[in-house]
Amino acid sequence: MTEDANDRYRAPALDKGLDILELLARTADGLSQAEIAKALDRSPNEIYRMLDRLVRRDYVRRTPEDRYEITLKLFELGHARPPLHRMVSQAMPVLRHFALRAEQAVHMVVQDRNILVVIAQVDGPGYWNVSIRVGSRIGLVNTGSGHVFLAFATPQERLLMLEEQDMGSPEKMPKGLEARLETVREQGFEMMPSAQVSGVSNLTVPIFGPLGTVIAVLTCPYTQRLDKRDAPDMQTVLKLLQQAGADVTRRSPEA
């Protein structure tokens, strides 16, 4: 579509609302009306009416400190999409069964516009876990989940995914990543020390769609139990995770 066509179909009010939502989504502690106006190069009066509507529709909330922060409504709407909702519904019994047998936490990750998002998570049966919140965005090149998505992507898909991370050129590729991805693809899983938490190993397996593409992954942030000697070891947990991945693949509405 040409630039003239883009201008012809512009919706300034909608653009303004989306700009506010995208700004607040990148902000941890919320922003004041004046800060939002300054960040978007607009007047406070211009922002006020849009903020009022977003608050009334529950996309944004106003804090007691007179700041604005995004709510979970967009996240809830995203999960209301039938295919994603069905996949999570079908996967949850499998994830709960894995967590009970493995005595470890597990989460499911999907790729949305080259961003990895946690869409489901189950804690292990004990009173402590290493887990990631549902809705979290996670890294592509430094996580087990990212490695599996990259390993099973086509060269063109991989390039696009890396470009989103500002790593599209080979010079910016982390050293040894391409060889690592080849290994992941050959063995069908990733097993790597966490780059974020000491003492944690990320175990990740793919969930395949009907065309053989990876539509999601399961990751277990494995931690060795020192208080329970009969807890499953890492190799046992990996086998349980592989079985869970195969079960979710069979149950998936996308398959």
Side-chain angles (χ1 to χ4, degrees):
M1 185 178 291
T2 65
E3 186 174 348
D4 288 343
N6 283 328
D7 288 340
R8 185 188 314 154
Y9 296 111
R10 284 187 62 213
L14 178 59
D15 284 337
K16 192 187 307 180
L18 293 174
D19 287 343
I20 292 173
L21 290 174
E22 290 175 356
L23 174 65
L24 292 177
R26 299 191 300 267
T27 307
D29 300 320
L31 295 170
S32 68
Q33 180 182 331
E35 289 170 333
I36 294 172
K38 182 178 180 181
L40 298 179
D41 195 24
R42 297 179 181 272
S43 70
N45 289 338
E46 192 178 2
I47 293 298
Y48 173 77
R49 291 178 61 187
M50 186 60 67
L51 278 173
D52 180 69
R53 295 312 307 165
L54 290 172
V55 170
R56 290 178 184 273
R57 296 291 297 270
D58 294 326
Y59 289 97
V60 171
R61 67 180 290 267
R62 191 172 182 175
T63 71
E65 295 79 22
D66 203 25
R67 300 175 76 79
Y68 295 89
E69 60 185 19
I70 198 166
T71 68
L72 292 177
K73 186 170 183 178
L74 285 173
F75 177 71
E76 293 169 355
L77 290 175
H79 273 65
R81 292 185 301 173
L84 184 61
H85 179 73
R86 287 198 301 271
M87 184 165 69
V88 172
S89 297
Q90 294 288 338
M92 286 303 291
V94 179
L95 269 60
R96 286 192 288 265
H97 184 64
F98 165 84
L100 185 63
R101 294 183 64 195
E103 301 184 36
Q104 301 282 339
V106 62
H107 54 269
M108 178 186 287
V109 179
V110 297
Q111 181 189 171
D112 183 16
R113 293 169 299 172
N114 297 322
I115 296 172
L116 304 188
V117 183
V118 178
I119 62 168
Q121 191 272 335
V122 175
D123 289 335
Y127 58 84
W128 57 268
N129 286 276
V130 176
S131 59
I132 299 180
R133 291 191 302 270
V134 172
S136 298
R137 295 184 176 187
I138 62 176
L140 182 66
V141 300
N142 61 353
T143 66
S145 298
H147 284 187
V148 171
F149 274 111
L150 286 170
F152 286 91
T154 67
Q156 294 79 13
E157 291 169 340
R158 185 182 296 178
L159 182 61
L160 288 174
M161 293 167 73
L162 291 170
E163 283 177 346
E164 291 289 333
Q165 309 291 316
D166 294 326
M167 294 183 181
S169 62
E171 293 78 15
K172 294 184 179 180
M173 285 275 286
K175 187 176 180 179
L177 179 59
E178 289 191 21
R180 182 65 194 172
L181 296 180
E182 185 62 30
T183 299
V184 170
R185 186 179 182 93
E186 290 176 357
Q187 65 190 15
F189 63 86
E190 175 61 295
M191 177 188 289
M192 60 178 282
S194 171
Q196 292 77 35
V197 182
S198 177
V200 175
S201 296
N202 289 330
L203 311 180
T204 305
V205 300
I207 297 171
F208 294 100
L211 301 179
T213 59
V214 175
I215 59 173
V217 301
L218 296 182
T219 292
C220 169
Y222 175 87
T223 52
Q224 183 180 4
R225 296 290 298 269
L226 301 179
D227 61 336
K228 192 173 182 183
R229 296 185 180 277
D230 61 345
D233 60 20
M234 190 184 302
Q235 288 295 332
T236 301
V237 171
L238 175 61
K239 291 179 181 178
L240 292 172
L241 189 66
Q242 289 175 307
Q243 182 61 56
D247 289 346
V248 176
T249 293
R250 285 193 293 270
R251 290 167 174 248
S252 173
E254 300 290 338

